[in-house]
Amino acid sequence: TNLICTSGDETELICETALFEIKTKKKSLRVLGVYRPPNANLDQGIDILTEQLDRSLDSHKKIVLVGDINVDSLTESNDKSKLEELLTSYQITTMNLPPTRITRDTSKSIDWICTNIDQQLIDTSVISSGLSDHTAQTATIITSKMKENFKERKRIFSKKTTELFKSRLQTQNWVSLHAQEDINDLYDTFHTITQSILNETCPLKTCTTRQNKGLRQCWDTECAKLKIEYIKALEKEQCTGRAEDKMETAARKKSYDTKLKSLLKEHMVEYINEADNKSRALWQVINNQRKTKTDNNTELLLLMDNTIISQPAEVANCFNTFFSTVAHRTLQSPDLNPNPDPDDYELPPPIEQNLHFKPATTNEIVKIIDSLKPKTSSGADHISAKLVKACKNELLRPLTLITNKSLSQGIFP
């Protein structure tokens, strides 16, 4: 298993990803792990996922996307539609999972397993791990039934085909669009023309690509029994909330953790003893167990009343004092008027109930196209943002016409 890339530290509060590749002698599989915080901006998270999917599928690899995305797949919503639309553009489907986070008041499936592998070759399930308030999700890939090669029909865009598509658009006068009064008819005509040119300049071709495989573990019956006892105690605690049940859960978890640590120790000793090259095996064990070192060299400094404070405890106390006295200092402020005169306030002007849109100009459409990221992913029409940017001058007239017709009729085609 190799780590290919991560989304970087700057994405920690938006959408963290890590892309791995699992290789065997003849096959390979990429796994994209994802975590999106509950209150993070979904549109920014989708941009990060798009970049990672573009990178992971650069050579038509098979992929499994797993993780806590914090979007409920059991409830229809705008967030769910956005996410599924992104995955569909990469021919990735979502596996159906039961609720993965259950509380007294809610039951949601916010952990996702998505893939571009045939769903008949994947078996998914959820299990109570007791490690968090989420269930654990498993995905078992039946590699023995997977074909070495599989065929798909797709368009192969290149510099040559893009220029050919662009030159054919230049020959269009778009007269047929101006004859359409209804916005839906106008858009359908535009779509028919562009798809006809696309089929002529970059037709669908049958491509042959390859596929993937999996891994192993170590366990015993006593450990399984301790886990079951811990899960039962945890479920009882979640139902009752009593202090004694919480203590019982903590005791069961401690027994379970102790057994896991002893099993791991026995497994490592056995692995080293059975190895032909014991020195190499020892270093493999050390490297596998080594924790990622955090950067402790960063010095924390706070300027307070012209004094620089460097001790973490003193810095924490300064912040605590500042925020805990905000209300008191605000009330003591001489600028605060305890008895405001209602006549001092002006009512805001009345808001018009109707929205009035100005017709879009060609310059505005150009700015919007220029602001698009040059992504190669596309929807069912196979026209990506990268292709639109390459042909913006040729598409400018019809896109401006469609936009203004949509605004004037109040209909999104």
Side-chain angles (χ1 to χ4, degrees):
T1 302
N2 299 318
L3 174 63
I4 298 176
C5 63
T6 64
S7 55
D9 295 338
E10 66 277 6
T11 67
E12 182 178 358
L13 300 178
I14 304 172
C15 183
E16 298 177 82
T17 65
L19 179 63
F20 295 86
E21 185 167 31
I22 302 173
K23 288 186 176 180
T24 61
K25 291 182 179 179
K26 296 182 179 180
K27 301 176 182 178
S28 67
L29 170 68
R30 291 190 174 183
V31 178
L32 181 62
V34 180
Y35 172 69
R36 174 182 163 268
N39 298 320
N41 185 288
L42 181 63
D43 292 331
Q44 294 178 347
I46 286 178
D47 287 341
I48 295 171
L49 281 177
T50 301
E51 292 176 6
Q52 290 287 26
L53 288 171
D54 282 340
R55 181 177 300 179
S56 61
L57 298 174
D58 55 357
S59 55
H60 313 294
K61 295 283 186 180
K62 285 302 175 182
I63 188 171
V64 176
L65 184 151
V66 294
D68 178 7
I69 304 182
N70 274 298
V71 174
D72 187 9
S73 63
L74 300 179
T75 304
E76 295 301 325
S77 65
N78 189 34
D79 287 351
K80 179 187 175 184
S81 299
K82 286 182 179 180
L83 195 56
E84 288 183 337
E85 183 178 344
L86 167 70
L87 297 174
T88 301
S89 68
Y90 290 93
Q91 287 77 50
I92 295 176
T93 56
T94 304
M95 306 295 292
N96 293 324
L97 291 176
T100 59
R101 185 176 186 273
I102 302 174
T103 65
R104 292 182 181 179
D105 304 318
T106 62
S107 179
K108 299 180 178 180
S109 182
I110 57 178
D111 302 273
W112 291 48
I113 298 178
C114 316
T115 183
N116 58 1
I117 300 173
D118 185 353
Q119 292 198 13
Q120 294 182 352
L121 302 179
I122 297 185
D123 182 27
T124 60
S125 62
V126 296
I127 56 176
S128 296
S129 64
L131 300 178
S132 73
D133 57 351
H134 293 237
T135 59
Q137 301 82 47
T138 65
T140 304
I141 303 173
I142 310 172
T143 56
S144 60
K145 294 183 180 180
M146 292 176 63
K147 297 179 180 179
E148 286 295 327
N149 300 317
F150 90 104
K151 297 181 179 180
E152 61 175 341
R153 289 181 60 78
K154 60 187 299 184
R155 301 185 193 275
I156 309 297
F157 287 98
S158 63
K159 186 176 181 180
K160 181 180 178 180
T161 56
T162 301
E163 287 298 326
L164 192 58
F165 179 70
K166 185 175 181 178
S167 63
R168 285 286 289 109
L169 286 175
Q170 291 172 354
T171 64
Q172 290 294 316
N173 55 21
W174 307 108
V175 174
S176 58
L177 299 186
H178 292 276
Q180 305 297 331
E181 294 295 332
D182 183 74
I183 177 59
N184 290 317
D185 295 336
L186 172 60
Y187 179 79
D188 289 342
T189 303
F190 171 74
H191 178 73
T192 302
I193 293 173
T194 53
Q195 289 301 302
S196 176
I197 297 175
L198 201 58
N199 290 333
E200 177 187 340
T201 58
C202 187
L204 288 167
K205 294 183 178 180
T206 301
C207 303
T208 303
T209 55
R210 290 192 169 183
Q211 301 189 334
N212 22 35
K213 205 171 176 173
L215 206 60
R216 67 161 198 166
Q217 63 170 330
C218 127
W219 199 255
D220 75 351
T221 53
E222 183 182 355
C223 193
K225 181 180 178 181
L226 289 172
K227 177 186 174 182
I228 293 172
E229 292 174 351
Y230 165 55
I231 295 297
K232 288 181 178 179
L234 179 63
E235 291 174 347
K236 184 178 180 181
E237 177 204 331
Q238 291 174 341
C239 291
T240 64
R242 296 186 303 180
E244 53 267 33
D245 291 332
K246 188 174 183 179
M247 293 176 61
E248 178 68 16
T249 301
R252 297 290 186 186
K253 187 176 189 302
K254 185 176 181 179
S255 300
Y256 179 43
D257 290 342
T258 303
K259 180 60 180 178
L260 283 177
K261 290 177 181 177
S262 65
L263 266 181
L264 180 60
K265 183 178 179 180
E266 292 172 6
H267 176 69
M268 289 188 294
V269 171
E270 182 181 356
Y271 175 74
I272 295 172
N273 290 336
E274 292 180 354
D276 294 331
N277 188 336
K278 290 181 171 50
S279 176
R280 181 180 178 184
L282 176 61
W283 278 109
Q284 284 179 340
V285 169
I286 292 173
N287 290 330
N288 287 335
Q289 295 301 310
R290 182 180 293 166
K291 303 294 183 182
T292 303
K293 294 183 178 179
T294 56
D295 185 8
N296 296 323
N297 298 323
T298 304
E299 188 176 6
L300 183 64
L301 301 176
L302 177 67
L303 181 62
M304 189 74 176
D305 297 330
N306 295 323
T307 303
I308 297 178
I309 303 173
S310 59
Q311 293 298 323
E314 294 180 15
V315 172
N317 286 332
C318 287
F319 277 108
N320 184 42
T321 302
F322 175 81
F323 287 108
S324 63
T325 59
V326 167
H328 177 73
R329 287 185 282 109
T330 303
L331 292 174
Q332 297 299 321
S333 173
D335 298 330
L336 184 66
N337 185 1
N339 299 306
D341 187 354
D343 296 333
D344 293 341
Y345 295 94
E346 295 183 2
L347 292 175
I351 300 175
E352 293 186 14
Q353 298 297 318
N354 298 324
L355 292 175
H356 301 284
F357 292 102
K358 293 181 179 179
T361 64
T362 54
N363 289 334
E364 290 174 330
I365 301 298
V366 167
K367 287 182 180 179
I368 293 173
I369 295 176
D370 288 339
S371 69
L372 297 175
K373 293 184 179 180
K375 299 176 182 178
T376 57
S377 58
S378 64
D381 59 1
H382 299 154
I383 298 179
S384 64
K386 184 176 181 179
L387 187 61
V388 172
K389 289 174 74 74
C391 306
K392 67 177 180 181
N393 293 328
E394 290 72 25
L395 294 172
L396 187 57
R397 282 178 53 202
L399 289 180
T400 305
L401 180 62
I402 291 172
T403 301
N404 288 330
K405 184 74 74 173
S406 175
L407 291 175
S408 64
Q409 296 186 4
I411 299 174
F412 186 83

